[in-house]
Amino acid sequence: MYKEVVIVGVCALLAALLIIYLVHKKRTESFEGGLKAANTARIRNSKLYKSLNTRYRILLSIFMAGMVLASVAALFLAARPYKTDDVVSGVKKRDIILCLDVSYSLYDLNAEIVDYYKGVVAGLDGDRFGINIFNTSSVTYVPLTDDYDYILDRLDELDVYFAMQKEYFEEYYTVYDSFTYMPDDKYARYAELQDKLDYFEAGTLYENWYRGSSLIGEGLGTALYSFPYLGNSERTRVIIMSTDNENNSFVREVLNLKEAANYCKKNKVTVFGIFPSEEKFYLPEEYDYSSCLAGFKEAVETTGGKFYIRTRSQTVEEIVKDIQKQEAMLVKVVMTRQTIDLPRVPFIIMLGCLVAGCLAGLVLQK
């Protein structure tokens, strides 16, 4: 682009020099072979002569000034003026894993998280996103990917899953003690629900009769090790985890919550925790809301993350927006230095002076 501008400028300057030559040639040829006249004072003092002479001098001044300025601008243009800018840009290199405790006590919270994250994922650009769900065992429901259409499809499936959990829990589990007292029409829907729920829970309730349920530490640990190349990545890594921390393990976990949090810290993975409000905490008698909250909060803050309680005044939307503002979510900042050519001003000056000078020269030639 710069070469084209210089070529145009050189051509315009050559055209101007040609006009100068023609004007000069005409002036010299006008007096070749002519006769010199004496006593021209009367002619010089006439109004017509003075008017033409003034016009001639003005046009000649415009012509000469235009050519001189155009030449200077052309030299400036040939010198290639430029400026250097430091450009600071953000490179999105974030890996985000949504880690959901899919115990039936959390269907409301999980449904709200999944519903809101549909909008978040739709607005991502360059980030990788994954989903892990767990209860007794963990399932990598969506491996880290930037295929956002696929992620949205899977979020829709989870939305359906949590809606079925809600229906099962509220209309059957808390209403009927056994099949004996369940009406036939209700039982038909119950059997249908059970069949569909079994599809989702085949992975998350594996050996729950032996190992128990809500193995929180293993859930977090599995999410952590879903990141590739742990300890050797420039990408910001974040786990957003929802759980009520009601651990009901029958055997010792491979990783407990405290151990998993320490491994997250060691591998520079930040955990943000979302905890249900007390009114949504479906706790058995052996669990205490305060102790469950304190244990999860301590684990989250060990990693440098932030702990949130989902309440009526603090919605999931507000929580997620706050998470996205945290330092751990900042993208890597890259500064580059670039050289920018500045041909516009000298080119415009040169072109304007050439046009003015050439017009003046053409009028002089007549």
Side-chain angles (χ1 to χ4, degrees):
M1 178 63 184
Y2 194 87
K3 286 183 178 179
E4 286 80 351
V5 172
V6 173
I7 291 171
V8 171
V10 170
C11 292
L13 191 60
L14 290 174
L17 292 174
L18 179 62
I19 291 174
I20 292 174
Y21 169 75
L22 293 174
V23 170
H24 178 72
K25 183 179 179 183
K26 182 177 179 181
R27 288 182 63 197
T28 53
E29 287 178 350
S30 298
F31 293 101
E32 288 181 1
L35 298 174
K36 293 185 178 180
N39 301 319
T40 58
R42 185 176 178 182
I43 295 175
R44 292 178 182 276
N45 290 327
S46 68
K47 289 184 178 180
L48 177 61
Y49 179 86
K50 288 181 177 180
S51 174
L52 291 173
N53 189 49
T54 300
R55 175 175 173 270
Y56 171 78
R57 292 181 182 279
I58 291 173
L59 289 172
L60 183 62
S61 298
I62 293 173
F63 174 74
M64 295 303 295
M67 294 303 103
V68 171
L69 290 175
S71 299
V72 172
L75 290 173
F76 195 79
L77 187 64
R80 191 166 185 170
Y82 69 91
K83 69 175 181 177
T84 301
D85 280 349
D86 291 332
V87 180
V88 178
S89 58
V91 178
K92 291 199 170 185
K93 288 188 175 181
R94 298 183 294 180
D95 287 344
I96 305 166
I97 288 184
L98 187 60
C99 181
L100 303 176
D101 179 350
V102 292
S103 304
Y104 278 67
S105 56
L106 287 160
Y107 60 78
D108 268 346
L109 177 59
N110 287 336
E112 190 175 350
I113 291 172
V114 165
D115 188 58
Y116 182 70
Y117 257 96
K118 291 177 187 178
V120 174
V121 169
L124 292 179
D125 180 18
D127 296 338
R128 294 190 301 191
F129 193 85
I131 303 172
N132 273 47
I133 59 176
F134 72 92
N135 194 336
T136 302
S137 46
S138 299
V139 172
T140 301
Y141 198 69
V142 176
L144 277 172
T145 179
D146 57 4
D147 185 347
Y148 303 130
D149 289 335
Y150 172 67
I151 297 169
L152 289 171
D153 286 342
R154 301 296 274 175
L155 286 171
D156 285 336
E157 286 185 6
L158 284 178
D159 213 3
V160 173
Y161 173 43
F162 296 134
M164 290 191 297
Q165 278 191 333
K166 177 182 175 70
E167 183 183 355
Y168 176 85
F169 189 82
E170 294 182 357
E171 297 188 22
Y172 296 94
Y173 183 80
T174 58
V175 176
Y176 301 102
D177 293 328
S178 68
F179 304 139
T180 308
Y181 304 103
M182 192 180 296
D184 291 341
D185 59 334
K186 280 285 187 180
Y187 181 77
R189 176 55 181 163
Y190 168 82
E192 181 185 3
L193 268 179
Q194 193 67 63
D195 183 59
K196 291 180 179 179
L197 288 169
D198 285 345
Y199 167 78
F200 284 94
E201 293 164 359
T204 59
L205 290 178
Y206 180 71
E207 291 188 339
N208 69 307
W209 57 271
Y210 164 69
R211 303 186 66 220
S213 61
S214 295
L215 307 186
I216 315 299
E218 291 189 18
L220 179 57
T222 303
L224 169 65
Y225 286 100
S226 295
F227 293 113
Y229 307 109
L230 275 179
N232 187 28
S233 174
E234 295 181 355
R235 302 180 75 95
T236 297
R237 287 174 163 175
V238 173
I239 295 174
I240 300 172
M241 184 177 187
S242 72
T243 182
D244 54 13
N245 199 25
E246 291 183 26
N247 188 301
N248 188 33
S249 59
F250 300 159
V251 296
R252 190 187 186 284
E253 295 177 90
V254 176
L255 280 178
N256 62 37
L257 181 58
K258 185 176 181 179
E259 291 169 337
N262 286 329
Y263 277 111
C264 287
K265 180 181 179 180
K266 179 181 178 181
N267 289 284
K268 299 179 181 179
V269 175
T270 307
V271 180
F272 293 95
I274 305 177
F275 197 75
S277 62
E278 191 166 7
E279 63 185 21
K280 291 291 185 179
F281 191 76
Y282 305 105
L283 69 164
E285 293 180 359
E286 64 268 26
Y287 291 99
D288 176 69
Y289 180 81
S290 298
S291 61
C292 288
L293 183 152
F296 187 34
K297 185 173 187 290
E298 180 184 358
V300 166
E301 292 177 348
T302 295
T303 70
K306 195 170 178 180
F307 178 79
Y308 301 89
I309 301 174
R310 164 65 181 95
T311 62
R312 290 181 180 179
S313 59
Q314 188 174 40
T315 64
V316 165
E317 178 179 356
E318 291 171 341
I319 291 172
V320 174
K321 284 182 178 179
D322 189 64
I323 290 173
Q324 291 174 309
K325 295 176 185 176
Q326 302 302 312
E327 185 176 356
M329 296 291 284
L330 290 178
V331 298
K332 181 180 178 183
V333 176
V334 176
M335 186 177 76
T336 56
R337 180 163 290 180
Q338 64 179 16
T339 300
I340 302 173
D341 289 321
L342 300 172
R344 179 174 294 180
V345 173
F347 180 76
I348 291 174
I349 292 174
M350 183 190 72
L351 196 60
C353 291
L354 281 176
V355 170
C358 290
L359 289 175
L362 290 173
V363 174
L364 283 172
Q365 199 176 14
K366 292 180 181 179

